[in-house]
Amino acid sequence: MEALAVRLSGLDPYVGGAIRVVAFYDTLMRRRVDLPALARASAGLAECVAGIRVHGTGRSIRVSPDGRDAIAPPAPATTTVPIVLDEEEIGTVWLERGGAVNQLDDVLLDRLALAAAAAVERYGPARTTMADPALVELAIGADTDEAARARALRLLGFAADVPVRVVAVRSRVPLDRIGGLVCPARPVKAAPLADVGVILATTVDAARFPADVRAGIGAADSPDRSWREARTALRFTTPREPVVRHADLGALALLAEVPQEASRDNADVAGIARVAGSPEDLETLDTYCATGSLRRAADLLHLHHSSVARRVEQIGRTLDIDLTDPTGLTRARLALTAWRLLTD
């Protein structure tokens, strides 16, 4: 190849240079270098800043000709080429030459894009928790075809044969921190979608969620179904139970399917709305429903047993339900849950 390049360069310097560029990247691909190494090699070859961005990570790699990370503000890209894998654009490569374009820049970037696609397919995206929201939405979307979903999951770093669990989160805690805590072994990816945070992980340790985090956990099934389950489970979270697995809801999950108008028109739910006008009464009812015991509720509320008994009796009259009867207690629990779903 080198001998051929020398002969051709005597006839056409551009052809000789192009062959050397192709051989340069063929060598890098045979050595199975990763994205940072590709960027460093390309910056040295081009003698200007070279950049690589993979949509699945949302992170850009910019390297100066000296092999160090480029710290200067990005200059306008002189030349840009998409990274394509399985006929889908998954990222971009570019050069920041800042002057006249070199005639070999197009060849260099074409080969860099091919090498970058091979590196992503081999190694997956960088080990970062935050991901491109558009790619996450594609992975969990109900209308996504299975081929596109599989590509999105692969670009996010998930193997095709590993089930992915989806978590819906509401919290002021950064999503990358939450993801790292609940799935420290990785892979785990997170992104904000509208007012809900989304975490995709192979395993989720529900006990490791930080305080003040509300989270609904879907089953490790297809990502779109897991996402629907996670959003439903999130609606059932409370200050007392901030993390809910959809699998643990059982028949309670059916309450999320009840039309809101039907819930509002229900006498028991309307009664809970009246009780909610008093935060003290609502807390008492919630604690009593959770424990099913006046004495246990009194312990949790730090009140005397007789005080809680009087409150429960008064709340029962407001609801027109005998809260000391098992059936009445079940009605109150269901009505309280249905009312919370209305106020979610």
Side-chain angles (χ1 to χ4, degrees), residues 259-340:
Q260 290 192 345
E261 286 304 316
S263 291
R264 289 193 184 94
D265 291 341
N266 181 269
D268 289 353
V269 177
I272 295 293
R274 292 193 298 272
V275 171
S278 168
E280 185 179 79
D281 286 347
L282 185 63
E283 183 183 17
T284 299
L285 178 62
D286 177 48
T287 306
Y288 178 65
C289 284
T291 62
S293 164
L294 290 173
R295 292 193 179 277
R296 181 57 181 153
D299 290 341
L300 293 177
L301 293 169
H302 305 292
L303 294 171
H304 193 275
H305 168 264
S306 60
S307 298
V308 174
R310 283 194 298 271
R311 286 189 187 181
V312 168
E313 184 180 1
Q314 180 181 348
I315 294 169
R317 286 197 295 268
T318 301
L319 296 175
D320 194 22
I321 296 175
D322 181 2
L323 295 176
T324 62
D325 177 73
T327 300
L329 184 58
T330 299
R331 284 175 55 187
R333 284 171 173 162
L334 290 173
L336 184 59
T337 301
W339 174 77
R340 285 198 174 113

Side-chain angles (χ1 to χ4, degrees), residues 58-144:
R59 171 176 168 263
S60 295
I61 302 172
R62 296 177 59 246
V63 181
S64 299
D66 60 5
R68 300 177 181 178
D69 290 343
I71 58 175
T78 308
T79 312
T80 302
V81 170
I83 304 171
V84 178
L85 182 62
D86 291 342
E87 300 182 356
E88 180 179 355
E89 183 177 331
I90 65 168
T92 308
V93 296
W94 70 91
L95 297 177
E96 300 173 20
R97 191 170 291 285
V101 177
N102 188 294
Q103 63 176 346
L104 292 174
D105 283 353
D106 287 341
V107 177
L108 186 154
L109 284 176
D110 283 341
R111 299 306 296 182
L112 172 56
L114 287 173
V120 169
E121 187 169 33
R122 182 178 302 115
Y123 300 114
R127 289 176 64 84
T128 178
T129 299
M130 297 307 294
D132 185 345
L135 198 59
V136 171
E137 191 168 14
L138 188 65
I140 63 177
D143 298 329
T144 304

Side-chain angles (χ1 to χ4, degrees), residues 2-213:
E2 291 182 1
L4 176 62
V6 170
R7 290 198 299 271
L8 289 175
S9 63
L11 301 174
D12 188 337
Y14 171 79
V15 173
I19 292 176
R20 288 189 175 93
V21 170
V22 171
F24 178 81
Y25 281 99
D26 285 348
T27 300
L28 292 177
M29 293 172 70
R30 283 198 302 271
R31 293 177 178 173
R32 297 175 178 268
V33 300
D34 58 12
L35 293 178
L38 275 175
R40 286 194 299 272
S42 300
L45 180 63
E47 298 183 338
C48 69
V49 172
I52 301 175
R53 184 183 188 279
V54 177
H55 299 328
T57 67
R59 171 176 168 263
S60 295
I61 302 172
R62 296 177 59 246
V63 181
S64 299
D66 60 5
R68 300 177 181 178
D69 290 343
I71 58 175
T78 308
T79 312
T80 302
V81 170
I83 304 171
V84 178
L85 182 62
D86 291 342
E87 300 182 356
E88 180 179 355
E89 183 177 331
I90 65 168
T92 308
V93 296
W94 70 91
L95 297 177
E96 300 173 20
R97 191 170 291 285
V101 177
N102 188 294
Q103 63 176 346
L104 292 174
D105 283 353
D106 287 341
V107 177
L108 186 154
L109 284 176
D110 283 341
R111 299 306 296 182
L112 172 56
L114 287 173
V120 169
E121 187 169 33
R122 182 178 302 115
Y123 300 114
R127 289 176 64 84
T128 178
T129 299
M130 297 307 294
D132 185 345
L135 198 59
V136 171
E137 191 168 14
L138 188 65
I140 63 177
D143 298 329
T144 304
D145 66 76
E146 291 309 308
R149 193 188 315 282
R151 284 196 298 271
L153 289 170
R154 183 177 61 188
L155 293 174
L156 288 167
F158 296 101
D161 57 345
V162 176
V164 176
R165 192 180 300 272
V166 185
V167 183
V169 175
R170 283 202 180 98
S171 173
R172 294 183 180 180
V173 179
L175 279 175
D176 56 346
R177 182 185 165 209
I178 299 173
L181 286 172
V182 301
C183 188
R186 298 182 183 269
V188 56
K189 292 293 177 181
L193 289 184
D195 63 336
V196 179
V198 184
I199 295 175
L200 287 81
T202 51
T203 59
V204 176
D205 187 343
R208 294 176 61 90
F209 280 95
D212 300 325
V213 171

Side-chain angles (χ1 to χ4, degrees), residues 245-268:
R245 295 180 181 273
H246 186 273
D248 294 336
L249 289 173
L252 283 176
L254 297 174
L255 289 177
E257 307 298 326
V258 176
Q260 290 192 345
E261 286 304 316
S263 291
R264 289 193 184 94
D265 291 341
N266 181 269
D268 289 353

